[in-house]
Amino acid sequence: GGFWKPFLVVSTIVVSLIFVLSSGVYVWAQRYAGRIPPGVSIAGIDVGGQDPEQVRQLLQSRIDTILTDGLPLSIDGETKTLMFTSLSTTDSVDDVAFDLDAVLNLVIAGHHPNPVIDSVKMLASAVAEKNINMIFTLEKDRIQIRVRELLPEKEVLSQDDSFVISKTETDWNIEVAEGHAGREFVWQPFFSELENHLASLTTAGVSLTLMDKSPDVSLELAIAQIEQ
């Protein structure tokens, strides 16, 4: 009897504490029923505990601002406005398409239909905070066309030497159209910065640089290959 009595007392206390804590977590987790789980941010915006439709309106407002106003584009100390929407007589065409439904579905998937499991998931979500970037597709080819139209005098594309080589009975005959060097846009860092801005729905400016570009094919190279 001397051993079991203290054991039963301690066990009762432990079970009671577990019950109280579990009940508290369960009641707390019910606050997030139908709402976005705690500790969740979308595009850097804390949306934990908020109504999904209210969050949709907030994010859509930021998306509309980007699509309507564009983003500042800086190059060679000059700043232009890079637009993402082309207006026509019947419709508009966007060079970037945001998938707001996919993002909201992703955060709502943090819930579980079982209330006990959902309570555990809500607690884990609150402890392990996470940010979800916006999901979007970017029409890079159209963006490049738009940038070139916006800055028609900035880029000079390099032109390779072109030539036709023919062999006569005694010698090689080469007809040449001389190419030239250029100054071309450097796209990779530009698109990386642009994608980061769109993922976080920031309206900060993006920058584009130019790089001197020599022809890839030259007459000297062709002659050297022939002589080999």
Side-chain angles (χ1 to χ4, degrees):
F3 169 77
W4 288 107
K5 187 175 181 179
F7 176 77
L8 290 173
V9 172
V10 172
S11 298
T12 301
I13 293 174
V14 171
V15 171
S16 298
L17 287 174
I18 292 175
F19 176 78
V20 170
L21 290 174
S22 299
S23 299
V25 170
Y26 178 81
V27 172
W28 167 81
Q30 292 307 299
R31 296 165 45 195
Y32 296 96
R35 294 180 174 271
I36 294 177
V40 173
S41 297
I42 299 177
I45 306 169
D46 182 8
V47 295
Q50 296 187 39
D51 178 77
E53 284 307 311
Q54 292 180 338
V55 173
R56 178 189 295 277
Q57 294 174 15
L58 171 63
L59 295 175
Q60 188 63 58
S61 175
R62 294 203 173 195
I63 289 172
D64 291 343
T65 297
I66 291 175
L67 294 179
T68 303
D69 298 342
L71 295 179
L73 171 64
S74 299
I75 180 170
D76 282 351
E78 183 180 356
T79 301
K80 297 281 189 177
T81 299
L82 175 62
M83 303 299 294
F84 300 104
T85 301
S86 299
L87 298 177
S88 66
T89 55
T90 58
D91 203 354
S92 63
V93 178
D94 295 332
D95 296 337
V96 55
F98 292 94
D99 196 341
L100 189 49
D101 287 336
V103 173
L104 292 174
N105 289 338
L106 188 62
V107 297
I108 293 300
H111 280 287
H112 193 280
N114 185 300
V116 175
I117 298 176
D118 188 60
S119 298
V120 176
K121 290 175 69 70
M122 292 305 97
L123 181 60
S125 180
V127 173
E129 297 182 354
K130 65 178 179 181
N131 177 65
I132 297 175
N133 287 329
M134 281 302 306
I135 299 173
F136 62 91
T137 55
L138 188 65
E139 298 292 341
K140 292 185 177 182
D141 289 344
R142 292 213 299 257
I143 292 288
Q144 288 179 327
I145 293 173
R146 194 181 294 275
V147 168
R148 288 187 169 116
E149 290 175 347
L150 186 65
L151 305 164
E153 299 178 359
K154 290 291 184 181
E155 185 180 45
V156 177
L157 296 176
S158 64
Q159 177 67 52
D160 293 338
D161 287 345
S162 61
F163 44 85
V164 176
I165 304 174
S166 59
K167 191 175 188 304
T168 65
E169 293 181 359
T170 59
D171 203 353
W172 290 96
N173 182 46
I174 303 177
E175 298 179 8
V176 179
E178 187 175 357
H180 58 80
R183 198 159 181 250
E184 300 182 1
F185 294 133
V186 183
W187 293 110
Q188 193 278 328
F190 162 78
F191 278 119
S192 293
E193 184 179 23
L194 177 59
E195 287 170 344
N196 287 335
H197 285 4
L198 296 175
S200 58
L201 295 181
T202 179
T203 54
V206 292
S207 57
L208 181 62
T209 57
L210 288 158
M211 179 179 66
D212 293 334
K213 180 78 163 52
S214 299
D216 293 326
V217 178
S218 65
L219 176 61
E220 291 79 6
L221 177 60
I223 292 175
Q225 290 176 342
I226 293 172
E227 291 176 347
Q228 292 177 0

